[in-house]
Amino acid sequence: MTLFKTLDMADLSGKRVLVRVDLNVPMRDGAVTDATRIERILPTIRAVTEQGGKAILLAHFGRPKGKVDPAQSLEPIAAVLTEKLGRPVGFSADCVGPVAEGIVANMAAGDVLLLENTRFHAGEEANDETFVAALASLGDVYVNDAFSAAHRAHASTEGLAHHLPSYAGLTMQAELEALEKGLGKPEKPVIAIVGGAKVSTKIDLLQNLVKQVDCLVIGGGMANTFLAAQGKDVGKSLCEHDLADLARTILANAEEAGCTILLPTDAVIAREFKANAASKTVPVDAVPADAMILDVGTESVAAITAWIDKAKTLVWNGPLGAFEIQPFDRATMAAAKHAAARTKAGHLVSVAGGGDTVAALNAAGVAGDFTYVSTAGGAFLEWMEGKPLPGVDALKA
């Protein structure tokens, strides 16, 4: 992407390179339980060290709110980084000040150093100029490889870009290029699948997408709100009845924009929310008063896959049903496998993101077959909503 300065434009030899990475990984009893985010930053670290740069890693962990909290220290992650990188990773007990300065001063070309949690300082989230300057004094070049934190204008995600020559890391670059293909300048027709529990958490997303895509599939619990707004009885299903007017407005806006809204026409219902509960498929206008909609039915899946067959681009955020428990994962699995097959065959650009979405694609065994799967969470959602991302904007050439 020509709008952004990329790592291949930088001369890093002998330079102190501040690399903002995402190490906000899940941990239990002091051990990392999922190293996906660690593995994603390895190419950027290697790109720095192979050029003879000194890689100085900046990251946050948890929400310490400007105070030192040993339970939210990054120190245990240094050992995992060492293992994954295949070379020693040093650790500094502070990210600024004499401790960090002393260790950085003794680094040799190709060394890797992890600084302590930037959020142990209140100046990080406040994007305080004094704190930004203290961080900047440790480096000659700034590389942002943490798209997941790019929706925050913090010292290490946005402030540093105004103090040092700045570049997108390889993971950031891949994310930005994938997102450009997804909604920036997509090949049409574009289909978006949006699921999840509540309309209230995705109002901005739905309102933006109806202006951007050719077909919007609405699934999950939020589909019930739209069905109810159309006068259908959804029984005991999760439903935000107070948002009926908003749902009708979104439907009207979609019609005005020429966007097809695909709502379920049949549903898998049950009377208990538990794995392998007795269930059956019924038309959406025949849901019993004592039953819950927990997935979309086979007729609805067929309509979704037919649209995927017509589409050139797919953007996906949120499951179609209660995918965590069987048999209510079937629609999400079927649609995911169909999209993956179209992508592998070269017919579809598929971009997905959001925690539940990633989990669902992994459960279906197809995450690796999508064009791009974002682990960015909030930043991915805000990008889909059409909102500016300060950490990205600061990297523009």
Side-chain angles (χ1 to χ4, degrees):
M1 292 178 60
T2 54
L3 277 177
F4 302 92
K5 295 169 286 183
T6 54
L7 214 49
D8 55 358
M9 302 175 183
D11 175 13
L12 305 179
S13 180
K15 302 283 179 64
R16 302 170 301 163
V17 185
L18 292 174
V19 187
R20 180 51 160 97
V21 293
D22 180 3
L23 294 176
N24 201 26
V25 296
M27 297 185 72
R28 185 181 299 117
D29 300 325
V32 175
T33 57
D34 183 347
T36 303
R37 288 183 169 181
I38 294 173
E39 289 161 356
R40 284 203 168 186
I41 65 173
L42 299 180
T44 294
I45 298 172
R46 291 189 179 115
V48 171
T49 58
E50 286 168 7
Q51 274 201 48
K54 306 169 186 179
I56 304 161
L57 309 182
L58 297 165
H60 76 274
F61 183 76
R63 300 173 183 267
K65 300 195 178 297
K67 297 177 181 177
V68 175
D69 177 2
Q72 299 183 73
S73 172
L74 286 171
E75 187 168 12
I77 296 174
V80 182
L81 264 171
T82 294
E83 177 192 341
K84 297 287 184 183
L85 198 58
R87 64 190 304 161
V89 175
F91 179 74
S92 169
D94 202 349
C95 61
V96 291
V99 173
E101 291 164 6
I103 299 174
V104 169
N106 287 309
M107 290 178 73
D111 281 355
V112 182
L113 173 68
L114 174 60
L115 302 180
E116 182 58 284
N117 195 338
T118 55
R119 289 189 182 176
F120 282 180
H121 293 265
E124 163 70 344
E125 294 189 73
N127 204 359
D128 176 74
E129 185 59 32
T130 302
F131 182 66
V132 175
L135 287 174
S137 70
L138 299 174
D140 305 303
V141 173
Y142 170 67
V143 173
N144 192 344
D145 207 33
F147 177 80
S148 56
H151 58 316
R152 304 288 184 234
H154 292 172
S156 69
T157 61
E158 195 269 348
L160 278 171
H162 302 293
H163 281 252
L164 298 171
S166 304
Y167 303 88
L170 298 179
T171 304
M172 173 76 87
Q173 181 183 349
E175 188 105 26
L176 295 176
E177 288 173 348
L179 300 188
E180 185 75 356
K181 289 177 183 175
L183 279 184
K185 294 179 180 176
E187 191 175 353
K188 288 181 168 284
V190 182
I191 179 174
I193 298 176
V194 179
K198 295 183 176 181
V199 174
S200 55
T201 62
K202 297 187 178 180
I203 293 171
D204 292 345
L205 173 59
L206 296 171
Q207 290 179 328
N208 183 50
L209 286 178
V210 295
K211 298 178 289 185
Q212 302 284 338
V213 305
D214 300 288
C215 175
L216 174 58
V217 177
I218 301 176
M222 65 171 56
N224 302 333
T225 300
F226 282 84
L227 294 173
Q230 293 179 328
K232 295 179 175 64
D233 186 349
V234 296
K236 292 187 175 179
S237 307
L238 177 66
C239 181
E240 295 173 289
H241 292 281
D242 57 321
L243 294 183
D245 286 344
L246 175 65
R248 286 189 283 267
T249 297
I250 292 170
L251 291 171
N253 290 345
E255 186 174 1
E256 185 178 338
C259 169
T260 298
I261 296 274
L262 215 56
L263 288 168
T265 55
D266 61 344
V268 181
I269 61 164
R271 288 170 174 79
E272 295 180 281
F273 185 77
K274 69 176 187 180
N276 301 311
S279 63
K280 67 176 181 176
T281 302
V282 300
V284 290
D285 55 4
V287 177
D290 63 343
M292 297 174 283
I293 297 173
L294 295 177
D295 200 7
V296 304
T298 52
E299 182 181 277
S300 301
V301 172
I304 294 167
T305 56
W307 250 102
I308 291 173
D309 286 342
K310 287 192 286 185
K312 295 290 187 182
T313 305
L314 164 67
V315 182
W316 191 335
N317 177 257
L320 295 170
F323 80 100
E324 310 94 329
I325 55 174
Q326 296 181 342
F328 310 111
D329 59 343
R330 288 177 182 165
T332 302
M333 300 296 114
K337 289 175 180 176
H338 192 80
R342 294 288 294 172
T343 304
K344 283 186 76 175
H347 302 309
L348 185 71
V349 170
S350 51
V351 179
D356 284 348
T357 314
V358 175
L361 297 183
N362 284 333
V366 298
D369 294 330
F370 270 55
T371 306
Y372 194 82
V373 177
S374 172
T375 59
F380 180 82
L381 190 58
E382 290 199 18
W383 164 78
M384 285 187 74
E385 291 169 352
K387 295 177 179 176
L389 303 177
V392 171
D393 291 343
L395 297 176
K396 288 184 177 177

